[in-house]
Amino acid sequence: MTTLVFGHKSPDTDSTGSPIIWAWYLTEVLGRPAKPVLLGEPNTEAAFMLTHWDLPKPEIIADVSAEDTCVVVDTNNPAELPPSINDANVVGIIDHHMLVGGIKTKSPIEITIRPLACTATIMHDLMGDDLARAPKAIKGAMLSCILSDTLEFRSPTTTPHDRFVAEKLAADLGLTIADHAEQLFAAKSDVSAFTDAELLRMDSKEYNVAGKDLRVSVLETTAPAVVLDRKDSLMAAMPGVATEDGADQVLLFVVDILNEEATLLVPNDLVKQMAEASFGVTVTGDTVVLPGVMSRKKQIIPALKL
């Protein structure tokens, strides 16, 4: 039986690359046939990674069944996984996020969750010397994932080990980290083809804060003005997206990678109250700048309150 390997919905670079990396390892090294799949269209940066390293885009699936054997990567949150995940035979989880709970398995499984910036870094360590057998595309995907998740080491989630692994991979591949990161971020910043609703869901996760169901969205970019020029239409689209997705509110943080700050769109009093309570700022308009805020996982979600 072929094992399906997948990450979270709204797949970013790590949730696109890591299933490919781990499916290669299971198949080619461990002799366990595996197939990477996605739970949605990859974002522009992830799509660039696939093209750059000449990797085929994995099949997109909507759900899994009781007959499917699965490995979950880059998440352990059932809200970010197929609706029938608890019916499937989940045999492994590899992740770098906080433990949410709620996944029910049919037997004991292998779980690796480590406080590193990227799932691909964990996979590097799990593979050990076997990584030397990997083709250039697999190592390249691994490097792309790490540079994306660490924002080229700017994110506070970055650990010395993430940097060490990235530098080792770059040397092996014979490329310059700064140049490859620039290509990744340029692709990430090109959002011109997306509707407002698509942008609000592009890099988005669901959380409950103080009894409010929130869709917390982040757009990481080297050209924040391109997104902020659309703030009126983005805010106008938020109620519809929230209603369709069963949320009380959409929060959108536009992360300026180069200036290392985030701008939160403030469409109403609820978001204003949350911004002021969470980040100690005074909101006077429909946006507020949060200096130094780069990471949803480490700086945004833990801070959110009413």
Side-chain angles (χ1 to χ4, degrees), residues 29-78:
V29 177
L30 299 187
R32 294 162 48 187
K35 173 184 176 181
V37 293
L38 300 177
L39 303 185
E41 285 290 340
N43 68 16
T44 52
E45 184 186 69
F48 167 81
M49 175 194 66
L50 294 175
T51 301
H52 184 81
W53 297 112
D54 195 23
L55 291 163
K57 185 175 80 171
E59 176 188 352
I60 296 174
I61 64 170
D63 204 358
V64 291
S65 70
E67 286 71 43
D68 289 320
T69 297
C70 310
V71 173
V72 173
V73 303
D74 197 30
T75 186
N76 66 86
N77 185 349

Side-chain angles (χ1 to χ4, degrees), residues 53 63 70 74 78 90 114 148 182 184 192 199 214 236 241 246 263:
W53 297 112
D63 204 358
C70 310
D74 197 30
V90 178
R114 295 179 182 172
S148 174
E182 183 179 1
L184 287 167
S192 57
L199 284 182
L214 303 177
V241 170
T263 298

Side-chain angles (χ1 to χ4, degrees), residues 82-120:
S84 303
I85 189 64
N86 283 339
D87 295 331
N89 180 29
V90 178
V91 296
I93 298 173
I94 306 171
D95 192 19
H96 65 119
H97 295 91
M98 66 180 180
L99 182 63
V100 175
I103 296 179
K104 181 177 175 57
T105 63
K106 296 180 178 180
S107 61
I109 70 171
E110 296 179 358
I111 299 178
T112 303
I113 300 177
R114 295 179 182 172
L116 295 167
C118 183
T119 308

Side-chain angles (χ1 to χ4, degrees), residues 54-265:
D54 195 23
L55 291 163
K57 185 175 80 171
E59 176 188 352
I60 296 174
I61 64 170
D63 204 358
V64 291
S65 70
E67 286 71 43
D68 289 320
T69 297
C70 310
V71 173
V72 173
V73 303
D74 197 30
T75 186
N76 66 86
N77 185 349
E80 299 175 353
L81 292 168
S84 303
I85 189 64
N86 283 339
D87 295 331
N89 180 29
V90 178
V91 296
I93 298 173
I94 306 171
D95 192 19
H96 65 119
H97 295 91
M98 66 180 180
L99 182 63
V100 175
I103 296 179
K104 181 177 175 57
T105 63
K106 296 180 178 180
S107 61
I109 70 171
E110 296 179 358
I111 299 178
T112 303
I113 300 177
R114 295 179 182 172
L116 295 167
C118 183
T119 308
T121 306
I122 301 172
M123 291 180 174
H124 166 276
D125 296 348
L126 293 175
M127 291 181 186
D129 293 340
D130 288 324
L131 183 61
R133 299 166 54 181
K136 180 178 179 180
I138 293 299
K139 295 177 182 177
M142 188 175 284
L143 174 62
S144 297
C145 291
I146 298 171
L147 294 180
S148 174
D149 265 11
T150 65
L151 297 177
E152 195 190 358
F153 316 133
R154 294 177 176 88
S155 172
T157 62
T158 307
T159 69
H161 188 59
D162 292 293
R163 181 188 286 267
F164 168 78
V165 171
E167 290 174 344
K168 186 173 93 168
L169 288 166
D172 188 14
L173 292 164
L175 56 76
T176 302
I177 282 178
D179 290 343
H180 189 54
E182 183 179 1
Q183 292 177 304
L184 287 167
F185 300 156
K188 188 198 297 273
S189 301
D190 182 10
V191 296
S192 57
F194 295 92
T195 67
D196 294 322
E198 287 171 335
L199 284 182
L200 292 173
R201 294 186 174 105
M202 182 177 290
D203 186 355
S204 187
K205 295 179 184 283
E206 300 170 17
Y207 295 92
N208 184 282
V209 176
K212 297 292 184 182
D213 290 321
L214 303 177
R215 175 168 288 286
V216 183
S217 302
V218 172
L219 288 177
E220 299 164 339
T221 177
T222 56
V226 173
V227 179
L228 295 175
D229 283 346
R230 295 172 59 173
K231 68 177 180 177
D232 291 342
S233 61
L234 284 165
M235 289 191 291
M238 286 179 178
V241 170
T243 298
E244 290 176 16
D245 296 355
D248 295 303
Q249 181 64 53
V250 177
L251 301 182
L252 177 60
F253 295 82
V254 181
V255 173
D256 184 334
I257 297 172
L258 300 181
N259 288 320
E260 301 188 19
E261 63 185 21
T263 298
L264 170 64
L265 273 58

